[in-house]
Amino acid sequence: MPAPDNIYENDVDFTTLALRYPEFAKRLKPNRQLDFSDPESVRQLTKCLLHRDFDLTIDLPDDRLCPPVPSRFNYILFIQRLLDSTSPDFHEGFDPKRQVIGLDIGTGSSAIYPLLATRQRPQWRFLFTEIDEKNTEYAQKNISANKLQSRIRQLDTDASGEKLIPTDQLERFERVDILLTNPPFYSSPSELLGSAKQKARPPNSSCTGAEVEMITPGGEVAFVSKLITESSQAGNRRKIQWFSAMLGKLSSVGSIVEKLRKEQCTNCAVTEFVQGQKTRRWCVAWSWEALRPANEVARGVRGGSGVEKRWLPPLTEMEFEVESAGNEAVAEKVGQEIRKLEGVLWKYDEANGFGMLMSRNGDVWSRKARRRAKAEQEHPDTHPHAPRDTNIHASDREDTEMKDQESEDDDSEDEPEPALVTRITIRSPSVVGSTISRKATVYLRHLQGHDSVLFESFCGWLKRKVIPP
Ligand SMILES: C[S@@+](CC[C@H](N)C(=O)[O-])C[C@H]1O[C@@H](n2cnc3c(N)ncnc32)[C@H](O)[C@@H]1O
């Protein structure tokens, strides 16, 4: 049974945990609190939570990092939501049949990410790398102890740590859905010591960490920047749908998003993990592909998180209200306007109250685009780059085209991606108190497309058409 999402919303109740685990009870202070400066107490907490909440049994060495379970679980929940909202078949939400392969760079002695992820989702499998021998040995033992060897496998990696993604090793896998990593934070031993003095370090994570786990030249920003560069290389960008990295410092978020923008990455997600009063972590995910996550995933930060708005990716959901004479009437009006567009495919699913729109060539709705299309039709010789599909009328071809697109995507590398795929849902008027609003909501979800301005422009166009001035 997967653990519920909000399992660690409140602080862990040590008394309840102690009642079930005598070895943990022994570590509690008379005031029923835990001494986080004592490494064995922290290890017991991690082991007991993994056992109670995930049915996982692990062993941890004395001289390596001990992962705090709530923060690691937050990362797993984030990648679940990310993949659930960017499925190639546009299925939104958990699809129990979807097979996923994850790759954890630097799994640590616990192998906590592969263990949690595969425990939560029976169809998921994981690969991992690790350059520290002791961590590798423990990770293997922990995977076997939980009988997950058939679903979690180690990949050889560059022992010097120079190259992070084992591209050659991935050749035998058709596809990897998500890469994750919790990189070493610090750039030097003196930075590590300085952060301990300022108590910037979480109490239960660094006390037993070995140098290879805590320190990397240039710190986490250099590690993740290297990962971004490697991710952009042809073999990796086509193989791996999402790349992601957890960050320990707020200041790193801006540096990483800036690096992604410099590399012209158009699809990313920024989120924060909040645990209790003291601990905050951040995570940035990016994709070179065009399937876009839902708003709450792409922009998973709350007010006061410290992440500046300018680092957040563009909105992937928009909505507007319209005077309603019933959902069917609104859907009819939306469909009518869209069907006037040349080269746009539109399919409305009446039973579920939503439609799918696909524009292969991008903007065909603005005045400028219509003028251009007209000129191309009138003078085809002077417009050699006329879009291939401008003579397709959506209403004539809608059903077959949508299906063709899905099946061709699987086996044809040359098929150009549509510039925009949007789901449009008509939502019923809402009841506020004792009054029923007379307005329906037209909700648009940007599902696919590198260009967020195109999505915005389409939303604006549709709103103007559906609500005439
Ligand atoms: C901060 S620890 C995270 C461990 C574990 N994933 C967790 O979250 O608790 C970083 C891990 O990455 C490993 N590591 C460091 N550089 C690496 C590299 N270039 N390739 C693979 N693993 C690396 C370290 O040995 C360490 O286990």
Side-chain angles (χ1 to χ4, degrees), residues 65 67 72 104-110 112-113 129-132 135 157-158 160-164 182-185 212-214 223:
L65 197 66
R72 302 305 191 262
D104 180 17
I105 304 292
T107 205
S109 63
S110 56
I112 191 156
Y113 292 131
T129 65
E130 178 53 65
I131 54 170
D132 179 62
N135 277 346
T157 194
D158 171 17
S160 72
E162 264 309 296
K163 196 166 172 291
L164 298 172
N182 175 14
F185 283 3
V212 64
E213 300 179 297
M214 308 302 293
F223 191 100

Side-chain angles (χ1 to χ4, degrees), residues 135-183:
N135 277 346
T136 304
E137 183 199 322
Y138 271 79
Q140 296 285 16
K141 269 203 292 193
N142 286 328
I143 292 160
S144 304
N146 292 287
K147 301 198 170 34
L148 285 163
Q149 317 83 300
S150 63
R151 293 173 55 205
I152 305 175
R153 211 190 298 169
Q154 179 165 18
L155 296 182
D156 291 339
T157 194
D158 171 17
S160 72
E162 264 309 296
K163 196 166 172 291
L164 298 172
I165 305 178
T167 312
D168 305 345
Q169 300 279 314
L170 295 178
E171 267 168 25
R172 57 204 144 111
F173 301 94
E174 199 182 314
R175 206 169 152 69
V176 171
D177 299 275
I178 178 90
L179 175 151
L180 63 163
T181 188
N182 175 14

Side-chain angles (χ1 to χ4, degrees), residues 34-309:
L34 199 67
D35 177 4
F36 279 98
S37 65
D38 171 40
E40 186 50 31
S41 299
V42 173
R43 273 194 294 275
Q44 281 303 336
L45 175 63
T46 288
K47 287 184 190 179
C48 296
L49 286 179
L50 285 176
H51 189 262
R52 184 190 68 179
D53 300 332
F54 301 95
D55 192 22
L56 290 166
T57 305
I58 67 156
D59 191 15
L60 294 166
D62 298 347
D63 52 356
R64 292 293 183 275
L65 197 66
C66 171
V69 180
S71 117
R72 302 305 191 262
F73 185 50
N74 273 334
Y75 196 168
I76 295 301
L77 290 174
F78 169 66
I79 64 164
Q80 287 177 357
R81 290 182 186 129
L82 184 66
L83 291 175
D84 288 351
S85 74
T86 54
S87 153
D89 64 1
F90 302 129
H91 175 114
E92 240 172 322
F94 173 40
D95 175 0
K97 292 198 285 299
R98 183 172 174 196
Q99 306 211 341
V100 162
I101 298 188
L103 168 60
D104 180 17
I105 304 292
T107 205
S109 63
S110 56
I112 191 156
Y113 292 131
L115 290 181
L116 285 177
T118 51
R119 198 46 120 220
Q120 286 284 102
R121 297 260 169 119
Q123 293 296 333
W124 286 29
R125 289 179 290 150
F126 248 79
L127 305 165
F128 71 87
T129 65
E130 178 53 65
I131 54 170
D132 179 62
E133 246 177 63
K134 193 166 198 174
N135 277 346
T136 304
E137 183 199 322
Y138 271 79
Q140 296 285 16
K141 269 203 292 193
N142 286 328
I143 292 160
S144 304
N146 292 287
K147 301 198 170 34
L148 285 163
Q149 317 83 300
S150 63
R151 293 173 55 205
I152 305 175
R153 211 190 298 169
Q154 179 165 18
L155 296 182
D156 291 339
T157 194
D158 171 17
S160 72
E162 264 309 296
K163 196 166 172 291
L164 298 172
I165 305 178
T167 312
D168 305 345
Q169 300 279 314
L170 295 178
E171 267 168 25
R172 57 204 144 111
F173 301 94
E174 199 182 314
R175 206 169 152 69
V176 171
D177 299 275
I178 178 90
L179 175 151
L180 63 163
T181 188
N182 175 14
F185 283 3
Y186 301 103
S187 57
S188 65
S190 61
E191 193 197 352
L192 171 65
L193 286 174
S195 98
K197 274 199 199 117
Q198 292 161 22
K199 293 205 169 40
R201 210 165 65 193
N204 56 349
S205 66
S206 60
C207 44
T208 53
E211 194 164 312
V212 64
E213 300 179 297
M214 308 302 293
I215 297 167
T216 187
E220 62 183 8
V221 169
F223 191 100
V224 181
S225 296
K226 185 155 54 158
L227 191 60
I228 292 173
T229 305
E230 286 185 29
S231 78
S232 70
Q233 290 158 5
N236 296 324
R237 68 193 287 153
R238 296 181 77 137
K239 171 89 49 171
I240 304 175
Q241 184 186 359
W242 281 101
F243 302 83
S244 68
M246 182 153 121
L247 299 168
K249 295 180 206 161
L250 175 60
S251 62
S252 304
V253 175
S255 313
I256 294 306
V257 173
E258 225 165 28
K259 165 85 180 161
L260 284 167
R261 288 180 184 164
K262 218 191 249 162
E263 298 282 336
Q264 297 182 331
C265 180
T266 57
N267 192 9
C268 73
V270 176
T271 194
E272 64 170 345
F273 305 141
V274 183
Q275 213 55 63
Q277 302 285 312
K278 291 190 205 125
T279 316
R280 253 169 220 271
R281 291 283 174 271
W282 296 268
C283 186
V284 177
W286 64 97
S287 175
W288 301 101
E289 297 178 8
L291 293 169
R292 300 188 89 96
N295 258 347
E296 55 147 15
V297 183
R299 301 157 62 94
V301 296
R302 274 172 269 178
S305 75
V307 176
E308 292 175 50
K309 266 204 170 139

Side-chain angles (χ1 to χ4, degrees), residues 326-340:
N327 283 10
E328 294 76 26
V330 178
E332 184 49 39
K333 175 73 180 153
V334 167
Q336 233 173 43
E337 293 301 335
I338 292 175
R339 277 192 291 268
K340 287 182 200 157

